Amino acid sequence: MNDYVNITIDDRKIKARAGEKLLWVALDNDIYIPHLCAVREKERSNASCRLCFVEIEGMARPVTSCTQVVREEMVVRTRSTRIDRLVKTAFELLLSDHNLSCRECPANGNCELQKIAKERGLKLRQKRFKAIERDHTVDDSPDEFAFDPSRCVLCGRCIWADREEAGVGAIGFANRGINSVITTFEGVSLAESICTQCKLCVEACPVGAFYYKKDKKA
Amino acid sequence: MSADSPMDNYEKLFEVAKQNEEARREKPRILLGTASCGVAAGALQVKEFFLKEIESHGLDAEVVEVGCIGHCYAEPLAIIAKPGFPAITYGNLDEGLVHLLVEDFLAGEDPCYEYALAAVDRNDVFPTFEDFPRGIYENKLILEQCGYIDPESIDSYIEKDGYRALAKALSDEPARTLDEVKASNLRGRGGAGFPTGRKWETSLKAGGDEKYVICNADEGDPGAFMDRSILESDPHQVIEGMVLCAYAIGATEGYLYIRAEYPRAVKRVREALEQAREKGVLGSSILGTEFNFDLQVFQGAGAFVCGEETALLSSIEGRRGVPRYRPPFPAVEGLWGKPTVINNVKTFSYVPHIINRGADWFKSIGTPESPGTAVFSLVGKVVNTGLVEVPMGTTLRELIFEVGGGLPDGKEFKAVQIGGPSGGCLPESALDVPIDFDSLHEAGAIMGSGGLVVMDEDDCMVSVAHYFLEFTQQESCGKCTFCRLGTKHMLDILTDITRGHGDEERLTLLEELAEDVRDGSLCNLGRTAPNPVLTTLKYFRDEYKAHIEEGRCPARACRDLVLFYIEPSRCSKLCNVCVGSCPTEAIYTRDDGLKAIDQEKCVKCDNCRKACPPEYNAVIKLSPPVLPPEKEKKRT
Amino acid sequence: MQLLEGERELILSTVEEVLQNSSRNREDLIPSLQRVQSKLGYLPALAMEKLAEGLDIPAVDIYGIATFYNQFRLNPPGKYQVKVCMGTACYMKGGEITLESFERRMEIEEGETSPDRLYSLERVACVGCCTLAPVVVVNDDHIEGYVTPTRVDGIMLEFEEADQKEEETEKETEEETKKTAAEGGKNK
């Protein structure tokens, strides 16, 4: 068995570690593919944000690059009419449920959504979908950080950090469908929960839903 | 064969079963349909009536609770089997009829043919269901024993050659079983029609010594109840199919994943498993061989998405029922990461028949690409609601108009919805489509798990699309962007349209978004969620346009686009029925004694229209919701 | 939510019993929750916490599961529960109207329990009795077919009668208990 495979992404020949997922190979080679939910260390990606679509020669449908293992001679396109349409829709759908107030947002300038918009020439202020109205409250009970669910894109990276990196288990998904949220047991504040305030969730959050309080920024 | 070959062991079971069942048949028996639908129609009260009457006549007769024979329109139903007479089915039982039947037939000699529906077996006296017009089309394989055998007695199943296929399979290599299923070209009845044999083979080849067999009985499609009915009526057929699968792939453990909403099915299956273990056709050393396999029931907790196989696995593993991406498919990496075959109730039900009668026999039924039969629950605006089993290739027209007896009340056919929330609405022009996996898919619907809802002129296609989308939107697990947010926005647009607020631009957005949700969602729930919208847009676009452009609902079903009106020329001064029927006191008596509706108070509940005596039929619905000018005149 | 007197003990003993009959694997979680709910009628926070301890799972995971599946309730149900089927056939034959009739009569919205905990009303996905549409499930086990608004009135009347009867029996038993208590000199 070879340790490396040769693949082509957007006409570039790339040597990739066998068994690696396409998304990471692309990113390692400075080919940007939009993504929110993927965690490199996670064996089975959530594949929930639906942003990292690519087209692979010989496959009828676009596939998510976070789930696709590289294979010898694989020919990949990160852009096409079909891909761009899907990514645009997914992105705009996420924004229709995202509190877009970048100027007040601590993640401004360091936000994955802004990055996707810039890389793909998409507008943050999308007009296709009406903004979904929510009744969210900010949980600023921890000493140094806070959680604003109105910015949350439900990528689940904070939960991964809480479980796998911190080994705590204070937060998780609750409810279902459109009412899905990231929350504590019974929805109590983080300070009242078993959260150890290790802040790994803040580091993991790509969009400023978990953020450092202004005066406490590390 | 050695003295204790599986077939020898089976023959012993068979003999015992036959003797027991024959002994039971010596007395008159009343086989009462007590599947959930029968119970809902009052079967348990009917049972009490029978018991009371039998006692008061001092008779020795047994009342057996059986499953569903599929003629649900006539529930409560019972078959009376009295020695010396053909077994006869009676429908619409009530206290009076029970009294009559016991007195005249059980205590007397008159089978009361005037109340009989059909005989069970061919005889010289009374026609059977096969003599009905629908009998030409029906071909019952997996429904054959449903409602005729006692689902709570394994002997009743064994006596009909139940578990013989298992004995036959165990007498040979596992590969023979797999080969037979592969050769039969059986396709999965859960909806997508994936070849069953290939799935099994994948699991077999996946290796490892731990494998699982799971029966997906999370029948969540609204309007579908075939799986429930089979589990409640003939549970051993499914169990035998699962044991055969386990033997073919080398699994030792399995689950029946049954919906929480089906408590009766859960109970009957649990009892059946117990009996199967006692008889040695399940558990360790099955039929005296070295093959071990055991099954347990896992009760779903109420999430439609768990019908999706990877979500089902998450659920058994004690997690939120969210789907995972595929591949790897469960056949390779399933429960606890082990190879797992997941098939639908109906799929497993065919297996014993295929093993008993051979792949060629199976292929002789249906079409070359979709062999066998299709089982549907036929509901909605159709005369003979119930369960039907027809060979694949039967047309929708035959199914609805011949088997189903057409539409009631002389209404006009508008559409048929196939495949539930993942399926589509097909119009009159598609009625000659043969029922098979590929033809239905081409027409824009899917076979689905077999729900078939007939709709007439009173059903609004926009509203129907709204109904299904609302269902999937509420049942979306919320994991992936397209399904969580895409279905929400689609639903909002549809809601606007049913209220007359849509416009052409939003209609285009709806269509585009539907396509993206179809192409971009993680699992099949999301991928198929847009089907009801896409098919209604394709076949009934003018209805969408009427809502948008004229604020009119052609079927007068969308409540925001209709008003209720009492036509003065038809109303009678002598009648007050509607006044009492109104829950909000919206109906008043005018100066001239006729009735009228205060539109401010009306909640459009339809009570008055139903209450208005047919000789007047004065309450009508108007769409767009504009009162006729004549009314205005009278008011001033 | 405030627990009533004696509820805490009942919850603890129920969870204890369920845990004793469990292999304490994660796959026992959903069946355990089902057992707790069938005993208590709902899943109190305390029960979820204790189950989490017993099965060694983060409590938030149990909360996530309890809020994911339709079957689980986080609040006590009414004494008389009605679930209105919203399957296709029921919808087409007026299930929505049936639901509204119950809402009007019970004076609660779908998904709620009346303040006196007498009634609760839910919508339920297809119960598979489509030929009897519209269908409602009363108190989890009794299925009623052809439930028109008029029948809704009938069902409500049956509830009221049943409740009255029960109250009378309760009074009688109470009086009897008092009598016995007075006679026996024991006081509750």
Side-chain angles (χ1 to χ4, degrees):
Chain A
M1 267 273 278
N2 283 337
D3 292 346
Y4 287 90
V5 294
N6 298 297
I7 64 169
T8 310
I9 306 181
D10 295 343
D11 299 325
R12 258 180 68 191
K13 303 253 180 250
I14 289 170
K15 223 175 160 70
R17 258 220 332 268
E20 185 78 277
K21 301 274 169 43
L22 193 51
L23 174 66
W24 309 112
V25 173
L27 293 175
D28 287 348
N29 287 279
D30 291 322
I31 298 169
Y32 183 75
I33 297 174
H35 61 102
L36 284 171
C37 69
V39 175
R40 194 163 193 159
E41 297 74 27
K42 197 169 178 181
E43 198 195 331
R44 249 189 126 131
S45 177
N46 277 2
S48 61
C49 71
R50 317 307 288 168
L51 288 166
C52 67
F53 280 111
V54 294
E55 284 199 77
I56 295 174
E57 243 172 51
M59 288 194 187
R61 290 197 304 209
V63 294
T64 43
S65 57
C66 69
T67 61
Q68 183 61 53
V69 175
V70 287
R71 269 199 302 263
E72 187 64 34
E73 303 282 306
M74 191 177 253
V75 179
V76 182
R77 298 234 141 255
T78 65
R79 303 291 296 268
S80 74
T81 324
R82 269 216 294 186
I83 298 289
D84 288 355
R85 175 172 161 179
L86 280 180
V87 173
K88 178 171 186 276
T89 301
F91 184 69
E92 292 180 342
L93 284 172
L94 284 169
L95 283 168
S96 74
D97 197 20
H98 176 77
N99 176 6
L100 199 68
S101 48
C102 297
R103 257 190 290 173
E104 291 109 67
C105 178
N108 194 6
N110 186 26
C111 167
E112 200 66 34
L113 290 171
Q114 289 177 331
K115 183 166 183 186
I116 294 166
K118 195 170 145 237
E119 291 278 345
R120 289 290 164 105
L122 295 168
K123 280 202 171 64
L124 282 166
R125 247 176 229 295
Q126 61 86 24
K127 294 215 177 67
R128 273 207 298 169
F129 307 117
K130 286 182 189 162
I132 293 174
E133 281 168 34
R134 303 269 191 187
D135 195 14
H136 284 311
T137 45
V138 178
D139 178 3
D140 60 358
S141 64
D143 294 337
E144 295 174 49
F145 68 99
F147 175 56
D148 181 353
S150 72
R151 296 200 190 108
C152 176
V153 290
L154 298 174
C155 70
R157 272 155 75 168
C158 53
I159 298 175
W160 170 263
D162 167 69
R163 301 294 164 91
E164 304 302 323
E165 293 175 12
V168 176
I171 51 173
F173 285 112
N175 302 335
R176 194 177 67 201
I178 193 74
N179 300 316
S180 299
V181 285
I182 284 170
T183 183
T184 57
F185 177 65
E186 283 263 293
V188 300
S189 72
L190 285 159
E192 289 170 279
S193 77
I194 59 167
C195 168
T196 59
Q197 307 200 10
C198 70
K199 303 182 292 271
L200 287 172
C201 55
V202 186
E203 296 298 324
C205 181
V207 295
F210 278 101
Y211 59 94
Y212 291 109
K213 291 181 184 171
K214 257 189 192 131
D215 45 325
K216 298 279 167 86
K217 175 132 190 177
Chain B
M1 261 185 224
S2 68
D4 53 354
S5 76
M7 197 46 95
D8 288 343
N9 285 330
Y10 175 73
E11 293 296 353
K12 281 178 221 155
L13 291 181
F14 182 76
E15 277 311 311
V16 172
K18 217 169 131 190
Q19 276 170 23
N20 288 345
E21 288 300 305
E22 270 167 10
R24 274 177 99 183
R25 271 195 295 270
E26 278 167 17
K27 315 193 255 196
R29 296 202 302 165
I30 293 135
L31 309 174
L32 183 65
T34 60
S36 297
C37 43
V39 171
L44 295 181
Q45 283 102 293
V46 170
K47 184 180 177 182
E48 292 304 313
F49 299 148
F50 267 116
L51 290 174
K52 206 178 73 194
E53 289 289 337
I54 289 169
E55 203 194 319
S56 68
H57 285 82
L59 297 169
D60 183 19
E62 188 187 8
V63 180
V64 186
E65 290 192 25
V66 297
C68 171
I69 62 166
H71 291 257
C72 308
Y73 56 90
E75 297 272 18
L77 270 163
I79 297 167
I80 299 186
K82 184 177 172 181
F85 290 88
I88 304 270
T89 313
Y90 302 88
N92 299 313
L93 295 168
D94 56 22
E95 195 167 4
L97 186 52
V98 168
H99 172 77
L100 190 79
L101 288 170
V102 174
E103 184 144 308
D104 289 5
F105 187 15
L106 288 182
E109 297 280 303
D110 172 16
C112 304
Y113 286 126
E114 63 275 29
Y115 293 103
L117 216 55
V120 175
D121 301 306
R122 291 210 166 276
N123 62 83
D124 304 331
V125 196
F126 204 78
T128 66
F129 282 119
E130 280 152 39
D131 300 320
F132 279 35
R134 63 189 277 184
I136 307 168
Y137 298 95
E138 280 188 296
N139 183 359
K140 291 193 173 186
L141 306 183
I142 59 174
L143 294 185
E144 194 187 356
Q145 305 299 346
C146 289
Y148 298 108
I149 61 168
D150 179 355
E152 292 173 13
S153 153
I154 191 170
D155 280 343
S156 190
Y157 179 70
I158 293 177
E159 188 212 16
K160 303 278 181 190
D161 283 327
Y163 290 106
R164 185 176 290 280
L166 178 62
K168 191 175 165 190
L170 289 175
S171 309
D172 215 323
E173 292 296 308
R176 283 282 306 127
T177 301
L178 179 62
D179 288 346
E180 203 67 39
V181 173
K182 260 170 70 185
S184 76
N185 207 6
L186 171 67
R187 295 173 71 175
R189 262 36 177 196
F194 189 82
T196 306
R198 246 169 63 201
K199 190 185 269 189
W200 292 15
E201 191 170 36
T202 310
S203 266
L204 175 72
K205 288 189 174 157
D209 44 8
E210 257 178 274
K211 281 174 194 166
Y212 296 95
V213 175
I214 296 176
C215 175
N216 185 348
D218 191 49
E219 178 177 56
D221 283 12
F225 56 90
M226 307 72 54
D227 296 352
R228 170 184 66 64
S229 195
I230 292 172
L231 291 173
E232 289 177 345
S233 310
D234 195 358
H236 287 287
Q237 184 178 227
V238 185
I239 296 169
E240 187 179 4
M242 292 183 74
V243 183
L244 284 164
C245 170
Y247 182 62
I249 68 160
T252 53
E253 258 185 89
Y255 293 86
L256 288 119
Y257 188 101
I258 307 178
R259 289 178 79 200
E261 290 84 347
Y262 289 173
R264 224 177 156 73
V266 169
K267 189 173 153 274
R268 282 196 174 160
V269 170
R270 284 206 170 121
E271 283 168 7
L273 291 176
E274 203 45 57
Q275 293 182 1
R277 279 187 211 107
E278 276 168 29
K279 293 276 179 187
V281 291
L282 184 71
S284 46
S285 348
I286 293 176
L287 286 174
T289 64
E290 285 172 11
F291 171 53
N292 307 322
F293 175 69
D294 209 353
L295 276 171
Q296 56 177 304
V297 171
F298 189 98
Q299 222 178 328
F304 174 70
V305 66
C306 290
E308 198 281 339
E309 56 181 17
T310 60
L312 183 151
L313 293 175
S314 301
S315 177
I316 296 182
E317 289 175 1
R319 294 169 203 285
R320 290 159 59 82
V322 294
R324 316 163 187 173
Y325 65 86
R326 305 180 307 181
F329 288 92
V332 180
E333 243 180 71
L335 192 66
W336 313 113
K338 310 287 180 199
T340 304
V341 165
I342 306 172
N343 277 137
N344 170 270
V345 172
K346 295 179 287 296
T347 316
F348 282 125
S349 296
Y350 286 106
V351 175
H353 301 277
I354 291 170
I355 300 300
N356 266 335
R357 302 164 85 168
D360 288 334
W361 160 81
F362 188 70
K363 279 193 290 191
S364 72
I365 303 161
T367 66
E369 294 307 312
S370 302
T373 55
V375 177
F376 287 106
S377 53
L378 194 55
V379 295
K381 310 287 177 63
V382 61
V383 174
N384 298 329
T385 52
L387 275 186
V388 297
E389 183 171 7
V390 293
M392 291 274 187
T394 308
T395 66
L396 286 168
R397 191 183 301 280
E398 289 163 339
L399 186 65
I400 296 164
F401 289 92
E402 306 297 332
V403 181
L407 281 71
D409 310 326
K411 296 274 184 178
E412 201 151 314
F413 172 88
K414 186 190 266 182
V416 55
Q417 212 283 344
I418 307 174
S422 314
C425 288
L426 300 182
E428 160 81 35
S429 62
L431 279 183
D432 294 308
V433 168
I435 295 165
D436 64 66
F437 290 103
D438 311 300
S439 307
L440 286 179
H441 188 80
E442 238 163 77
I446 59 163
M447 179 77 86
S449 65
L452 206 145
V453 188
V454 181
M455 302 182 185
D456 68 13
E457 58 197 66
D458 295 334
D459 297 309
C460 165
M461 291 298 112
V462 184
S463 166
V464 165
H466 184 272
Y467 164 78
F468 282 111
L469 196 70
E470 186 176 36
F471 178 84
T472 17
Q473 193 262 333
Q474 282 173 354
E475 293 294 335
S476 163
C477 79
K479 181 179 182 180
C480 90
T481 305
F482 281 104
C483 186
R484 181 179 74 244
L485 295 163
T487 57
K488 163 78 178 147
H489 285 291
M490 282 172 70
L491 185 65
D492 286 351
I493 298 172
L494 272 177
T495 306
D496 280 354
I497 295 174
T498 58
R499 290 181 181 159
H501 298 322
D503 56 44
E504 193 58 44
E505 201 183 318
R506 302 262 286 158
L507 194 62
T508 314
L509 177 60
L510 175 67
E511 203 160 11
E512 284 173 5
L513 184 54
E515 290 165 0
D516 288 348
V517 171
R518 179 191 64 199
D519 297 337
S521 291
L522 171 64
C523 81
N524 277 337
L525 180 123
R527 285 179 181 277
T528 58
N531 277 349
V533 176
L534 288 167
T535 50
T536 47
L537 275 168
K538 179 173 165 191
Y539 294 118
F540 300 97
R541 206 178 186 96
D542 49 334
E543 286 202 28
Y544 282 86
K545 296 230 166 191
H547 285 73
I548 291 172
E549 288 164 12
E550 305 164 46
R552 178 173 68 89
C553 173
R556 291 187 281 267
C558 292
R559 278 207 267 173
D560 288 297
L561 300 185
V562 299
L563 62 75
F564 282 75
Y565 173 64
I566 297 173
E567 176 63 53
S569 64
R570 292 199 212 150
C571 183
S572 163
K573 291 174 191 174
L574 306 171
C575 168
N576 258 328
V577 177
C578 58
V579 179
S581 77
C582 179
T584 58
E585 293 174 10
I587 303 182
Y588 61 92
T589 308
R590 312 193 314 188
D591 296 341
D592 58 7
L594 300 179
K595 312 296 170 296
I597 297 171
D598 182 341
Q599 298 297 334
E600 298 281 304
K601 285 188 190 163
C602 176
V603 291
K604 304 178 187 179
C605 71
D606 209 30
N607 268 13
C608 56
R609 201 174 63 95
K610 284 188 183 135
C612 184
E615 59 264 41
Y616 305 127
N617 254 340
V619 183
I620 53 171
K621 293 197 267 187
L622 298 172
S623 181
V626 183
L627 285 171
E630 164 228 31
K631 163 101 181 167
E632 303 296 321
K633 243 185 278 160
K634 278 202 171 160
R635 274 211 137 171
T636 48
Chain C
M1 202 189 54
Q2 215 51 35
L3 292 179
L4 302 176
E5 200 187 321
E7 264 182 318
R8 197 185 151 81
E9 288 68 30
L10 180 66
I11 292 166
L12 291 177
S13 64
T14 305
V15 173
E16 193 51 43
E17 195 192 320
V18 166
L19 279 172
Q20 261 165 15
N21 294 313
S22 140
S23 64
R24 306 216 171 189
N25 290 324
R26 177 137 195 164
E27 61 177 302
D28 273 337
L29 176 53
I30 291 175
S32 300
L33 289 171
Q34 286 167 334
R35 269 175 232 136
V36 171
Q37 177 159 304
S38 80
K39 293 245 168 73
L40 300 175
Y42 73 114
L43 296 176
L46 180 63
M48 290 193 274
E49 273 175 285
K50 291 290 160 198
L51 267 179
E53 278 171 30
L55 297 171
D56 195 23
I57 298 172
V60 66
D61 277 12
I62 298 193
Y63 181 65
I65 285 166
T67 54
F68 184 90
Y69 294 100
N70 296 334
Q71 189 187 20
F72 297 125
R73 282 189 216 102
L74 298 187
N75 290 306
K79 191 164 157 195
Y80 301 101
Q81 301 164 39
V82 170
K83 293 179 190 162
V84 182
C85 179
M86 281 293 152
T88 319
C90 291
Y91 170 78
M92 282 171 49
K93 295 209 168 162
E96 198 91 16
I97 292 166
T98 306
L99 182 70
E100 276 174 30
S101 305
F102 274 113
E103 286 181 334
R104 259 196 308 276
R105 289 294 314 263
M106 293 180 169
E107 296 178 3
I108 51 174
E109 303 258 303
E110 168 249 317
E112 290 179 352
T113 301
S114 63
D116 56 4
R117 288 202 198 175
L118 198 57
Y119 301 120
S120 57
L121 182 63
E122 286 168 50
R123 58 164 69 206
V124 61
C126 188
V127 293
C129 297
C130 313
T131 57
L132 306 169
V135 167
V136 305
V137 185
V138 178
N139 295 339
D140 271 338
D141 51 3
H142 175 66
I143 298 172
E144 285 254 356
Y146 307 115
V147 183
T148 58
T150 329
R151 182 68 196 120
V152 170
D153 292 347
I155 292 172
M156 291 300 293
L157 204 66
E158 282 163 25
F159 286 159
E160 280 158 28
E161 278 171 4
D163 198 54
Q164 237 167 14
K165 218 172 169 184
E166 202 169 295
E167 242 170 56
E168 275 162 27
T169 355
E170 235 168 65
K171 242 186 221 162
E172 274 167 31
T173 0
E174 224 170 80
E175 270 162 29
E176 238 159 71
T177 334
K178 266 186 200 161
K179 240 197 244 165
T180 358
E183 280 164 14
K186 261 190 193 167
N187 227 323
K188 215 184 171 183

